[in-house]
Amino acid sequence: MQLNFAAREVAIKLVYYGPALSGKTTNLKALHQLVQEKSRGRLMTLETKDDRTLFFDMLPLVFKADSEHGSMNLRVKVFTVPGQVVHASTRRLVLQGADGIVFVADSQLAETENNAASFLDLRANLKELGRSISQVPLVIQFNKRDLPNIRTDVEIDELAQRGKEPVMKACAVTGEGVLESFFGLLDRTWKRLDEEHDLKDKLGLRPEAFLAMAAASLGHAGQATALASAFIGGARMPGTPPSGGTVR
Amino acid sequence: MTAQKSTHGSGNALDVVGDVPVRLEEVIDREALVEMCRSMQSLFGIGVRVYSADGALLANVASDLDICGLVNDSSQGRVACGATVSAAKSVDPGDDGDVVHACFTGLAYRIVSLDYEGRRIGRIVLGPYAPAGLREPPETLARTVPKLDVIQSTTRLSAVARVKPEALGRIAHHLKTTLELIIFSSHKAYVTSKLHLYSVRESYRALEEKTQRLEQAHSKLKELDRLKSDFLGTVSHELRTPLTSIIGYSEMLAEGIAGPLSKEQADFVGTIHGKGEQLLGLIMGLLDLSKLDSGTMSLRQASMQIAPTLQEVISTVAPVAKKKGVELVLDDDGVACELAADAERLRQVFVNLADNAVKFTPKGGTVTIRARVADGGASDDDDEGGAVLLAPVRRVVVVTVSDTGIGIPSAERNKVFDAFYQVDSSSTREYGGTGLGLSIVKRIVEAHGGTVVISANEPGGTVFTVTLPSAQARRTLPSRLPPADRT
Ligand SMILES: Nc1ncnc2c1ncn2[C@@H]1O[C@H](COP(=O)(O)OP(=O)(O)OP(=O)(O)O)[C@@H](O)[C@H]1O
Ligand SMILES: Nc1nc2c(ncn2[C@@H]2O[C@H](COP(=O)(O)OP(=O)(O)O)[C@@H](O)[C@H]2O)c(=O)[nH]1
Ligand SMILES: [Mg+2]
């Protein structure tokens, strides 16, 4: 996070991590579609000609929030990392300074191993950057729920209850679950930053107010809580409401 | 929490994955910008200025309106005009990023902000233009520049084309959109090139690391190898000293120096002596091998001919051959070609080969040592031409040692050069030996830049072909051969 008191500006960095072709870029494209035009910048995708992410994708979201201390500029930059193994150093670079992470897993049974390997890679890269995965707000998205031969709902629900991260189900090509994952992470990220930096007092902005304002600015007024709590599991994070419904 | 640190233009790849503000002057080509503004100006007849966020003028394409010329003729007018222009540079364009800034002449400027990633990074100033409703000079004109000719200023002002705010809005919006697109594209190209550089640097760093690790492993191995050779050398030496005594004393016993021996005693002493000699041979072989391996065997390379050496070989092996009933033939055809080689080591090579040949050839067979000079033949760099020049200096001496003995199956032909390898362990019983001879042969030949290969003899038996480069070849083609030290 970058906090610039003089400019009354807070900048947050969110990263979409996961194996190659799990749907990270698709998530960002959907998110771009799903937010109001005036609050979003251009989606920058650095792709190779075969549509695979070469370096990263980036979507800037910018909105104003009125706090007790006046108006603030909130900047959220959302990045994806390249999934291919060869881009390990770029993944680590993009991961630097991440305030929160969506791990996009591919629901297909055949991808189980790739998901696990990518998650271990995330853990190792964070460690290399001197951070521990337990300290970074994280949500896990099971994408491609529309495909056959996928991990079943029952299986995911059951595992999600055991794990400590909130789990979302999504179909990024249709946009289902995309906002839920984003707001779920934004919520947890802000709460974590609030705990660490006392933003409530410094900025005069309570986490609930922040989330409500973010949702309104992005074109989803009044839906903040519903969107941010549409996950399974993840109960161990303090201050989050108990698990809500699933996407499907 | 990281304090916001401005690192513009510092080639740091981290910048492009962070939130460092983009600067207009860095992502836009000034000349191209001016050109674009000029074409806008000629299309719509309205002047265009582009400023960066900190007020630097990046493009200035003014339309020389007559009224402006008139105003600027007076010193008061010039001052007032300058003040208006610099106000247009800093006036706040508001939340909408679009504002009209009036000039005292009744003309106006339209100011629109350039935004990127939600930040104001510059502004476009369009004008001056005459707003659609302007009829006559406003009183501000007369007040600001009292000396101005009223009739002249009225005609000149009415000559300025009227622009409707919606039309101007569209022009401004078009320019803003175009510029923002260009900024986005440039920034994207900038980010891509930064990351390309970064990944090249990272790959290079990874390779460097790997190379370093390999180098360390390599030098460690080399050190281990040296230790092994040192160890072998020391042990062989320590074994040789007492062994020489054993051999010497058993020899003296056998000669009856310490008194006559019974038949049985003489047999025993003979066995002790024989086995002692055998052991000494083995130790000497091991010593040679370790010296060759560690590169500490100094080849005393001198100018020499092969024929005298082969002569010596024949006389060394002749007694054994004669005893076994194997014929020994030397065919050197008066071969004359200067070699730069260690004569003693080459003698060792051919004694070994001839010794093997006799050993593995039954009674009545023949062992032939034959020497010839030949052109070096084809070589790897023939593709590059110059064969006419190179062939003469590639001359080689080819020595073959052929026998009519038991032969070596082709599958075994490479393995016999390994230390301690023998084709058939049962043959060890029959023929003795340790399997060190050929490994030493190969190392010595290669240390001279030569080769040794095995082929079959017709109708039976083995041919060892040793090819040695001439002294001239070793001098002129040093890259492909170990150099001869010219002493
Ligand atoms: N002229 C030959 N004909 C048939 N077999 C041969 C001939 N020369 C070598 N060999 C085979 O190659 C093996 C290795 O030969 P090398 O000279 O290294 O060892 P060696 O003769 O057995 O023992 P050493 O020479 O150490 O006393 C021999 O044991 C034999 O099997
Ligand atoms: N069926 C289906 N396909 C998807 C879904 N999400 C992404 N894809 C497809 O998966 C492929 C890889 O997606 P992409 O976003 O480029 O993956 P990335 O490498 O993680 O950025 C593309 O062909 C997408 O269309 C999904 O929810 N359902
Ligand atoms: Mg031998």
Side-chain angles (χ1 to χ4, degrees), chain A residues 1-4 9 11 13 42-46 55-56 58 60 62 75 77 79 89 93-94 96 197, chain B residues 1-2 4 13-14 16-19 116-119 180-181 184 187-188 191-192 195-196 198-199 202:
Chain A
M1 181 186 59
Q2 293 176 345
L3 185 57
N4 186 338
E9 189 178 273
K13 177 173 180 177
R42 282 199 166 75
L43 170 63
M44 186 184 281
T45 56
L46 307 180
F55 292 127
F56 60 71
M58 193 265 290
V62 184
R75 311 172 51 79
K77 276 197 166 182
F79 289 82
S89 62
L93 180 72
V94 175
Q96 281 198 44
H197 305 299
Chain B
M1 183 185 324
T2 51
Q4 178 134 14
L14 251 185
V16 300
V17 295
D19 192 37
Y116 187 67
E117 291 186 346
R119 288 195 172 102
E180 283 175 2
L181 252 174
F184 174 73
H187 186 226
K188 182 168 165 172
V191 166
T192 311
L195 281 160
H196 266 297
Y198 174 79
S199 63
E202 279 296 299

Side-chain angles (χ1 to χ4, degrees), chain B residues 352 356-357 359-360 403 406-408 416 421-424 427 432-439 462 464:
Chain B
N352 255 304
N356 279 347
K359 185 157 69 175
F360 298 107
D403 64 54
I406 62 171
I408 304 177
V416 293
Y421 188 84
Q422 295 178 316
V423 170
D424 173 5
S427 75
T434 56
L436 273 183
L438 286 181
S439 61
T462 311
F464 280 83

